[in-house]
Amino acid sequence: GRGPIAAHSMGPFFLDFAHQPYPLSFYQKHRYLTSGFLHGSLLHLYMNLRALLTLPSWLENGIGKGVYLSAYLVAIVTGNIAHTFSSLGYLSASSLSIGASGGILGLYGLMLASLMKMGNALAASSVLKQMIWLIGFGFLVPNVSNAGHIGGFIGGWLVGYLFGPGYMNAFSRDKGTGRYYVDRVDEDFRLVMGPGILPDYGRAIFPLKYLYMGIAAVMLSRPEMRMIPWAIWKGMTEPGTMSGIRSLIS
């Protein structure tokens, strides 16, 4: 899960990349992404790795690594956005938060969108039940951001629904050549889709490249967004620079 951490418990590298709704992330937008790659302990890292490993293999191998990775990265950002808007006292100093669970929940959102597009209502309802259980669990455990989980889930769902493949009859004919399509999908993907269904990226609502074109347009439109690559590089090569702690320890 993702949750707040005490600033004094982390070193300069963490302080350069952790998410803090205000004031750090308000001025340094790279934190909305980079905080998803930080963990507060080995147990925190283990739990998120375990959650990734329990996801079905068809989600990556069947849908495609491009959409899979895109859903993960977008969900980290949307999870942090949701966490920011849910934070009380938004314009007062808030605690730092880290963790990959927003991205992991985004993969569950991707799975739900894919199952919905396949027409597999039974499996889709199972994913929704898992999400409801997780939100309920989040209310019982301290330092867990339910808003971050929900925001990540929605971000992943949007990527899957808008940019994931459509589906067609695997035994239908290509009108141009007159040949029948050949079913080459993985066996586990076939079990989920059901017989006679084939993923088709030509039937996606939007090509995946449109997502990155939109992200590039947003980054180029505002000075603080154009600073993101530089801020990440500066934080990696000179830890403590972005948080200002480097001047205190040097």
Side-chain angles (χ1 to χ4, degrees):
R2 64 178 307 105
I5 57 174
H8 61 75
S9 67
M10 296 298 169
F13 185 87
F14 273 71
L15 292 175
D16 277 0
F17 293 126
H19 174 57
Q20 184 189 43
Y22 191 87
L24 293 179
S25 296
F26 186 82
Y27 296 103
Q28 299 176 353
K29 303 303 183 186
H30 69 280
R31 297 173 180 274
Y32 280 92
L33 175 64
T34 57
S35 62
F37 297 91
L38 301 179
H39 292 81
S41 65
L42 289 176
L43 178 61
H44 189 192
L45 177 62
Y46 167 77
M47 291 179 66
N48 278 336
L49 285 175
R50 184 175 180 275
L52 279 172
L53 291 173
T54 57
L55 288 167
S57 61
W58 66 261
L59 191 61
E60 177 182 1
N61 299 327
I63 295 175
K65 290 178 171 57
V67 172
Y68 182 89
L69 180 60
S70 299
Y72 182 78
L73 296 176
V74 167
I76 290 174
V77 175
T78 57
N80 277 323
I81 291 173
H83 173 71
T84 296
F85 280 110
S86 71
S87 299
L88 297 177
Y90 174 62
L91 292 181
S92 61
S94 50
S95 58
L96 301 175
S97 65
I98 56 175
S101 56
I104 294 170
L105 266 293
L107 297 179
Y108 278 91
L110 170 64
M111 180 160 50
L112 175 64
S114 301
L115 292 170
M116 291 172 62
K117 294 172 80 171
M118 290 177 199
N120 192 335
L122 182 62
S125 65
S126 177
V127 174
L128 277 176
K129 289 177 183 177
Q130 290 182 54
M131 184 64 187
I132 293 171
W133 180 89
L134 182 62
I135 293 172
F137 180 75
F139 284 110
L140 301 176
V141 179
N143 296 334
V144 171
S145 173
N146 272 324
H149 288 169
I150 295 171
F153 184 82
I154 293 173
W157 184 88
L158 286 172
V159 171
Y161 185 79
L162 295 175
F163 304 100
Y167 297 87
M168 65 179 183
N169 190 317
F171 308 112
S172 59
R173 269 183 164 180
D174 185 310
K175 294 181 179 178
T177 64
R179 298 177 180 176
Y180 287 96
Y181 292 105
V182 179
D183 187 3
R184 295 191 179 94
V185 299
D186 293 343
E187 183 178 353
D188 58 344
F189 201 21
R190 169 61 56 222
L191 292 174
V192 175
M193 288 191 297
I197 305 297
L198 188 70
D200 181 9
Y201 272 96
R203 300 191 182 193
I205 296 177
F206 298 109
L208 185 60
K209 65 180 181 181
Y210 284 11
L211 171 63
Y212 289 97
M213 290 170 63
I215 292 172
V218 171
M219 290 186 66
L220 292 173
S221 67
R222 301 180 65 88
E224 66 270 25
M225 302 297 284
R226 294 196 293 270
M227 292 292 291
I228 289 176
W230 177 87
I232 294 174
W233 173 254
K234 201 71 173 177
M236 293 181 66
T237 57
E238 299 180 25
T241 301
M242 301 309 299
S243 61
I245 196 174
R246 185 179 181 88
S247 60
L248 300 177
I249 61 177
S250 59

